[in-house]
Amino acid sequence: MSSAYHPEKVEREAQEYWRGTRCFEVAEEPGKEKFYCLTMFPYPSGKLHMGHVRVFTISDVIARYQRMRGKHVMQPMGWDAFGMPAENAAIQRGVPPAEWTYRNIDDMREQMQRLGYAYDWAREITTCRPEYYRWEQWLFTRMFRKGLVYRKNSIVNWDPVDETVLANEQVIDGRGWRSNALVERREIPQWFMKITAYADELLAELDRMPGWPESVKTMQRNWIGRSEGLELGFEVEGTNEPLEVFTTRPDTLMGVTYMAVAAEHPLAARAAKQDPDIATFVEECKKTAAAEAALETMEKKGVPLGISATHPLTGERVPLWVANFVLMSYGTGAVMGVPGHDERDWEFAKKHGLPIVQVIAPADGREIDIQAGAFVEHGILVNSGEYDGLNFEAACDAIAAHFEDSGRGRRAINYRLRDWGVSRQRYWGAPIPIVYCDQCDAVPVPDDQLPVVLPEDVEFTGVGSPLKDMPEFLEATCPECGRPARRETDTFDTFVESSWYFARYACPDSDQAMLDARAAYWMPVDQYTGGIEHAILHLLYSRFIQRVMRDEGLSAASEPFTNLLTQGMVLKDGAKMSKAKGNTVDPHALVEKYGADTVRLFMIFTAPPEQALEWSDDGVKGSFRFLNRFWTSVQAHAESGLATPVDPDTLDTAQRDLRRKTHQTIAKISDDIGRRYTFNTAVAAAMELLNSVNRFDDSSPAGRFVVQEALDAIVLMLAPIVPHICHTLWQALGHDSALIDESWPSADDRALEQELIEIVVQVNGKLRGRISVAVDADDDTVREAALADANVQRFVADKAIRKTIVVPGRLVNVVV
RNA sequence: GCCCGGGUGGCGGAAUUGGUAGACGCUGCGGACUUAAAAUCCGCUGGCCGCAAGGCCGUGCCGGUUCGAGUCCGGCCCCGGGCACCA
């Protein structure tokens, strides 16, 4: 064995061993406790970036740790291969999206393998392959039959120059990114999945998911946004249909002074035909991007429609407006304006000179000026006729009862969550399995005609989908009546692929069913790791589709992911690493220079997984230096002859101290990795133990025994993080077995025992001294020892002691 | 605008249940080794005062609770993530 650390050699040998023994390829073993460890699969964008390396390393540490804990671990990897970047690359380079994607996959797979992740590559999934997406097409047709998918008009960003639909990302300051034309909102028919049918279950189950971060659960709760309220109709002049609105504040109903509808609302369209000013405003409203953030931050504007609605309680007429902040896609596309008790309504009323009426007074009786600002808290009703004096609950009940009795309204539960629009007017995605027939309308493609294969050999221009120009794709026969029909050219949102891939890893080769019995063994995922940016969309869609699969009898699990770890971004100079900012660091170059273990160690040591990680070239060097010290320490110990076991009872104080440190470190790192997921502090503890070993100078048999025990423990505990160097060092320490088959060490309680402990002494909460006392000393003994300390005496002196607080094993605080 | 996070030395971070602020690492400075450099090893490294012992200040800002607050509560400021067609 050479004495210097050569990572490329060490890493090649370890990886050859793992490949030769196929130790990460696993099959179902019903007797064993399984552990399914999954990372959010990457989009094959070209090369691995540091964000990938970080999340893969975090997940790999967990997988390897659980394996050492005796679990039967499955860790797969695959490719979220459909998406816009392939189309953009195709336009820029003239390469078909498929070719570009497959080439990237090959490059990235090779880079991943160089990093030594414990993946079962036999399960690799590529979502743009027909053998994968045929099953989501199949599930879509099942959902069609159950009424869980439907078609309706919805709004997209329309680039009037390129005549194409733009993603929100492609709209910059309200303009198309290529044409620079002002983007318009346009309505087109699109397919929707009825996630709202599962809203209650998706919400309720969050309370029974202890393995998810509270922040993510809160975000999902707020996103689903369940609210209880009243649905009621306002009669509008010139129409027979009442204008339906939903409110969570029926108690403020008497304060309604206007109504507002969305620009796309039929009442606005009707008024626009009569009045050119309204038409101009409605057109202007449509010239904004569809993203909610854009709508919510723009100036609140509106114009009166010149018609009025009748207040359902007072019979008074309130004016009807069209306003740019009312969204057609939320609820009914209409809202009632209560400026006295809603901030946004208040501002709108002030701006347009609409009346502001106070109908709620503070419960504590204080005076408020409603003209100076909205009062949004719950309170007591005033100016509300027969409802005066009621509190929030009583008023809501009374008013709801009134509407229910008269049949003009009803108590209702409303969700902020909207159904999932899955249609994309793009080429590089999974075809939506529908054919359109003049006689039979939209007909799902029958099972025996699936998959609907996306042609990969295309000329891609970026203007419209090439599928529209391909008769061999477009032309179909109606499955119901046999007449000529036309195939759907829209493709699925790529979130459809990523909403079920986790289950498919259990049986990637199943060609008879979407999932088979193997999924029952592996699902749910025990540990899911990925970016916090997916806290809502991807994770909520996955929870939805998992339930659809459950209800289809494909999987018993309701929740796909038992434990969730959301890792932070990789930053450099305070900003996210990105090509656009030009602050990327190529992982490949670093692996070439320092080896995979150094890169893995840096990723793990520099920050806790959930936090953003600030890149540092010097930090990488520091990790490399540590591995060199580690290597040298183990080799030096091994070269001078390995130790033989010694009876721990015969150790002297220094030997016992090192042994205690070893076992304290085992306890700490087990807790850090197994419970706390603070891998950075686990590494710090291992470094501390190695520092203790290097300071320890005792070549007696007993001394060599405690050193060997410490080094064995460090190698075992760093194995999940830096598996290659540990593989080699384990052999150097004289073990015949392969490290990959070793178990996690356990702390020996007897080694942890100690006689004296240090206690901190405070006077009035300020640190004034430290004392050493017997570990089992009682409070009085500790208090006396504390007061006897010379520096403590200086501060206590002749002052009266008011009380003394003794925190056993920690501190004494003397209050004078 | 709305929802969710975060803010601690020169830097990354530690402090796990309200109990020693700054573990571990980086940088910097000083020293050893070397013809020299690199590498390695040793020491110091929050600010201020002090010969020292030790003291005072200090966890984004303002206020509160407590014997004791980085940690809990109220109000602000700044930074990041998400907002339904980036993935």
Side-chain angles (χ1 to χ4, degrees), chain A residues 527-548:
Chain A
Q527 178 66 56
Y528 196 36
T529 307
I532 185 67
E533 67 273 19
H534 295 295
I536 295 174
L537 295 180
H538 162 61
L539 290 169
L540 195 57
Y541 293 147
S542 297
R543 296 181 63 218
F544 164 52
I545 294 295
Q546 175 63 31
R547 283 169 168 78
V548 173

Side-chain angles (χ1 to χ4, degrees), chain A residues 545-811:
Chain A
I545 294 295
Q546 175 63 31
R547 283 169 168 78
V548 173
M549 293 193 292
R550 175 199 64 190
D551 294 346
E552 206 51 54
L554 293 163
S555 174
S558 293
E559 286 298 334
F561 315 119
T562 305
N563 293 290
L564 175 69
L565 181 63
T566 52
Q567 107 281 359
M569 294 185 305
V570 179
L571 309 177
K572 195 182 175 196
D573 307 323
K576 182 178 181 173
M577 276 193 185
S578 68
K579 277 183 201 161
K581 293 203 182 72
N583 61 350
T584 54
V585 175
D586 179 18
H588 184 68
L590 272 154
V591 170
E592 292 288 300
K593 189 167 175 189
Y594 297 106
D597 281 338
T598 291
V599 176
R600 295 172 60 118
L601 180 64
F602 172 76
M603 285 288 165
I604 290 300
F605 177 59
T606 303
E610 307 223 59
Q611 204 166 304
L613 181 151
E614 182 70 37
W615 183 262
S616 157
D617 290 331
D618 286 329
V620 178
K621 281 186 221 159
S623 291
F624 183 64
R625 264 207 293 269
F626 170 75
L627 291 181
N628 274 286
R629 276 201 299 276
F630 183 29
W631 176 273
T632 307
S633 302
V634 171
Q635 298 293 357
H637 172 77
E639 276 161 27
S640 60
L642 294 162
T644 47
V646 166
D647 179 358
D649 289 336
T650 65
L651 300 177
D652 67 23
T653 306
Q655 292 158 356
R656 248 196 338 264
D657 284 348
L658 179 58
R659 185 151 194 268
R660 187 183 311 110
K661 178 86 179 169
T662 298
H663 287 268
Q664 281 171 342
T665 304
I666 292 171
K668 171 158 178 61
I669 296 182
S670 303
D671 189 48
D672 283 353
I673 297 184
R675 179 182 66 89
R676 295 212 302 151
Y677 294 63
T678 53
F679 311 135
N680 56 325
T681 57
V683 173
M687 287 174 168
E688 270 190 74
L689 180 56
L690 188 70
N691 288 344
S692 295
V693 168
N694 288 342
R695 274 194 298 268
F696 183 79
D697 184 20
D698 179 350
S699 54
S700 71
R704 301 189 49 71
F705 163 68
V706 292
V707 166
Q708 171 100 26
E709 192 185 25
L711 292 173
D712 278 352
I714 298 171
V715 169
L716 287 168
M717 293 190 292
L718 287 182
I721 299 164
V722 284
H724 310 87
I725 190 174
C726 289
H727 173 87
T728 302
L729 292 180
W730 186 248
Q731 294 167 0
L733 285 167
H735 303 283
D736 298 329
S737 58
L739 180 61
I740 193 66
D741 298 321
E742 281 301 314
S743 295
W744 190 257
S746 55
D748 177 352
D749 287 341
R750 282 198 58 207
L752 294 173
E753 285 169 10
Q754 63 191 116
E755 287 110 52
L756 294 174
I757 51 167
E758 190 189 77
I759 298 278
V760 163
V761 187
Q762 299 179 333
V763 179
N764 288 345
K766 295 203 173 198
L767 177 68
R768 298 302 180 191
R770 297 157 200 277
I771 54 173
S772 184
V773 298
V775 71
D776 54 357
D778 60 30
D779 285 4
D780 288 337
T781 313
V782 172
R783 187 176 294 123
E784 265 173 50
L787 288 169
D789 182 88
N791 200 47
V792 170
Q793 269 303 312
R794 279 180 51 208
F795 286 89
V796 175
D798 51 348
K799 299 188 190 85
I801 296 175
R802 282 205 288 153
K803 64 172 156 176
T804 314
I805 290 142
V806 180
V807 181
R810 282 207 172 260
L811 63 71

Side-chain angles (χ1 to χ4, degrees), chain A residues 130-198:
Chain A
E131 54 276 23
Y132 180 81
Y133 63 71
R134 73 174 286 189
W135 294 110
E136 72 191 43
Q137 292 176 335
W138 174 85
L139 188 70
F140 180 86
T141 63
R142 278 330 90 147
M143 293 170 76
F144 184 98
R145 284 183 206 163
K146 284 186 169 177
L148 282 172
V149 298
Y150 61 95
R151 206 155 72 116
K152 71 165 184 189
N153 277 354
S154 87
I155 293 166
V156 294
N157 298 306
W158 180 256
D159 185 323
V161 171
D162 278 357
E163 299 200 313
T164 181
V165 174
L166 298 179
N168 286 335
E169 189 192 48
Q170 297 171 316
V171 179
I172 296 155
D173 296 330
R175 291 170 182 276
W177 66 342
R178 293 159 68 84
S179 70
N180 205 35
L182 273 177
V183 167
E184 298 170 8
R185 286 191 284 173
R186 177 174 279 206
E187 282 199 48
I188 57 169
Q190 308 205 66
W191 288 98
F192 283 80
M193 288 188 180
K194 228 182 232 178
I195 188 172
T196 54
Y198 288 85

Side-chain angles (χ1 to χ4, degrees), chain A residues 232-236 241-245 259-261 265 267 309 320 334:
Chain A
L232 68 157
F234 282 64
E235 278 170 23
V236 177
E241 294 273 304
L243 180 58
E244 293 283 331
V245 297
M259 306 278 296
V261 297
H265 198 280
L267 284 173
L320 191 57

